[in-house]
Amino acid sequence: LEQLKYNKQNGRIATWISENESENGPLPENVTEANNTIEKFIVDSNPDALKKTKNNIEKFDQMEAAVVLSDGTIVDGNRRFTALRLLSKEGKGQKFNYIKAVVLPNQTYSPKEIKALELNLQHAKEERVDYNPIDRLVDIYRDLLSESSAFTPEEYATEVDMPIKDVKKEMELAQLLVDYLEFIHQPHKYYIARQQNLNGPLREIQRILKSKKIEEDDAQDAKELLFSTITTVTGDATRKIRSMANVITNRELLHNTLDELDETLNDLDESFESEFVKDNAKERHTIEVPVEISGKINNVVEKKIETTRLAGAQKAPLEALGKANNFMGNVDVRALKLLADGSAEDNEEIKILISAIKSKLNEIEETI
């Protein structure tokens, strides 16, 4: 174990690496110190999964080989490596002082080939996909969208055994994540997105922004209004964003909301540079804007959401009438006549239903 080292580019701990770099600078050059730091990331990122792996290895030994480079870098098996390190420290026995692994000569493979192998091993098997969703998006951004990206979408889709359309959808989501962090003036501080649990809200934003009801000229404003809401909402952010769909896709209502919040959104942007917000981002890894700003945004947004709900309720009778008409169109008259001719009981039930429908139509017509 002492001859091995964690892969600093491992996608499972992308947000933890960014957090450490933001607070403490780059990881130590000393392998032992770097390993100790990354071990903590692995433990904290998914303690339940690590405990399960550790217990399994202690009980059944190492059932699956890791993959390492000849310089000691772990390509696949970081969790197993961590579990063995912990068991070794606990003095559980000599067999936990080493890892069973396939060893590859690192001089033979390019960085891209090594990353492709990692993707294949860690993503292609369905049961192995247990990344934190935000770490997964960071990995996709690095591999496909950043300046140093090495893969085309087609290559990436092949390595992770994923439809190309799904890869492109995840790329859009990864870009949305980066856009959000830039919006709050915390570029590439991915750990904030992890702390805010943004996977759900971002997916809702992605779905809303794909609506054909949104004019191209309004797309950026719509996105920033949704981002603003994320920073101010308390409770279930995913549900709140979902409830904004009818506000964002109604151009008049969207513009009214933006006009009403014009000065407040400017104040929000300025607050992102304030010491209050910066200190919270650094200490608590989240964004907490001044109460007067968040209160104003929440009140206006909730008022607009309620407007769409009332409009929906007012249109409900018309929608019900439309559905009734559609259902009537589905009635096969010839089949109904066969039922009426073939059974006196069916004939009587048909007459009762026709009478009820006529009565309701008369009531509607007379009222209107």
Side-chain angles (χ1 to χ4, degrees):
L1 296 184
E2 68 274 9
Q3 297 180 27
L4 301 175
K5 56 186 177 182
Y6 288 103
N7 178 9
K8 298 177 183 179
Q9 300 303 316
N10 183 271
R12 292 183 193 275
I13 52 173
T15 58
W16 300 85
I17 294 289
S18 77
E19 178 181 346
N20 185 79
E21 288 177 345
S22 175
E23 295 181 354
N24 306 310
L27 286 168
E29 290 296 326
N30 181 276
V31 173
T32 301
E33 292 178 13
N35 277 351
N36 290 337
T37 301
I38 295 176
E39 179 185 283
K40 188 176 186 305
F41 299 161
I42 299 287
V43 173
D44 291 344
S45 67
N46 198 333
D48 290 338
L50 179 62
K51 183 179 179 181
K52 183 178 178 181
T53 300
K54 181 170 174 277
N55 290 341
N56 186 270
I57 289 176
E58 184 175 10
K59 186 174 182 180
F60 299 109
D61 202 359
Q62 302 171 57
M63 304 295 289
E64 185 176 357
V67 177
V68 305
L69 300 180
S70 55
D71 68 354
T73 302
I74 302 281
V75 175
D76 180 57
N78 283 283
R79 188 177 294 153
R80 279 163 282 164
F81 178 42
T82 304
L84 287 164
R85 281 169 59 88
L86 296 175
L87 289 166
S88 179
K89 290 174 186 177
E90 293 169 9
K92 294 293 185 178
Q94 172 64 24
K95 65 179 181 178
F96 300 120
N97 292 340
Y98 67 94
I99 193 168
K100 297 176 182 176
V102 174
V103 182
L104 303 177
N106 56 296
Q107 300 90 345
T108 306
Y109 299 95
S110 69
K112 180 178 178 180
E113 289 171 326
I114 293 169
K115 182 62 180 180
L117 178 60
E118 178 193 323
L119 289 171
N120 184 266
L121 290 168
Q122 297 190 3
H123 292 275
K125 295 180 183 178
E126 184 178 352
E127 68 272 15
R128 299 290 296 280
V129 182
D130 56 356
Y131 274 41
N132 175 286
I134 298 299
D135 283 313
R136 178 73 182 273
L137 292 179
V138 175
D139 212 31
I140 286 174
Y141 178 78
R142 288 175 173 173
D143 290 337
L144 291 167
L145 294 168
S146 69
E147 292 181 1
S148 59
S149 61
F151 294 89
T152 66
E154 291 75 15
E155 289 172 333
Y156 192 91
T158 299
E159 297 302 338
V160 300
D161 191 25
M162 192 176 185
I164 185 66
K165 63 180 180 62
D166 291 347
V167 170
K168 290 181 177 179
K169 183 178 178 181
E170 293 300 290
M171 288 173 65
E172 292 174 3
L173 200 62
Q175 185 61 58
L176 208 57
L177 168 64
V178 172
D179 291 346
Y180 171 76
L181 293 174
E182 290 178 352
F183 174 77
I184 63 173
H185 298 207
Q186 301 287 337
H188 301 296
K189 294 185 179 178
Y190 304 111
Y191 54 90
I192 292 177
R194 184 193 69 223
Q195 180 70 17
Q196 288 187 285
N197 197 20
L198 286 189
N199 182 57
L202 287 177
R203 290 186 185 277
E204 287 298 324
I205 291 176
Q206 182 187 40
R207 183 182 62 82
I208 292 171
L209 294 178
K210 280 185 170 293
S211 172
K212 294 179 180 178
K213 295 179 181 179
I214 300 177
E215 299 284 343
E216 187 176 347
D217 293 344
D218 294 333
Q220 185 63 26
D221 286 337
K223 181 167 69 172
E224 292 185 359
L225 177 58
L226 290 164
F227 284 168
S228 300
T229 304
I230 288 178
T231 67
T232 59
V233 70
T234 56
D236 190 341
T238 301
R239 180 176 294 180
K240 184 63 172 284
I241 295 298
R242 187 182 301 134
S243 68
M244 290 179 66
N246 290 332
V247 175
I248 300 298
T249 55
N250 181 317
R251 194 177 198 206
E252 182 179 356
L253 203 53
L254 172 62
H255 284 209
N256 287 342
T257 306
L258 291 168
D259 289 343
E260 196 167 341
L261 287 174
D262 186 34
E263 290 186 12
T264 306
L265 293 178
N266 287 333
D267 292 341
L268 176 66
D269 186 64
E270 290 178 6
S271 77
F272 292 143
E273 289 294 328
S274 70
E275 293 304 315
F276 172 76
V277 173
K278 284 182 176 179
D279 288 345
N280 265 297
K282 186 174 182 179
E283 294 173 13
R284 300 172 58 190
H285 301 168
T286 190
I287 295 297
E288 187 173 332
V289 300
V291 174
E292 60 273 17
I293 295 176
S294 61
K296 174 69 173 180
I297 293 174
N298 278 322
N299 288 338
V300 171
V301 168
E302 195 56 48
K303 184 172 67 177
K304 300 304 180 185
I305 291 172
E306 190 60 29
T307 298
T308 64
R309 286 175 183 154
L310 289 173
Q314 291 169 348
K315 291 282 188 180
L318 182 59
E319 291 178 1
L321 193 61
K323 289 179 180 178
N325 182 54
N326 290 336
F327 280 125
M328 291 299 294
N330 292 332
V331 176
D332 187 329
V333 179
R334 286 177 295 178
L336 203 62
K337 184 177 186 307
L338 289 174
L339 279 174
D341 291 344
S343 166
E345 186 178 339
D346 287 341
N347 191 313
E348 185 62 26
E349 186 175 355
I350 289 169
K351 287 180 179 180
I352 292 171
L353 289 170
I354 290 174
S355 177
I357 292 169
K358 282 182 176 179
S359 175
K360 188 64 179 178
L361 285 173
N362 288 335
E363 179 190 345
I364 293 171
E365 193 170 31
E366 288 171 9
T367 303
I368 292 175

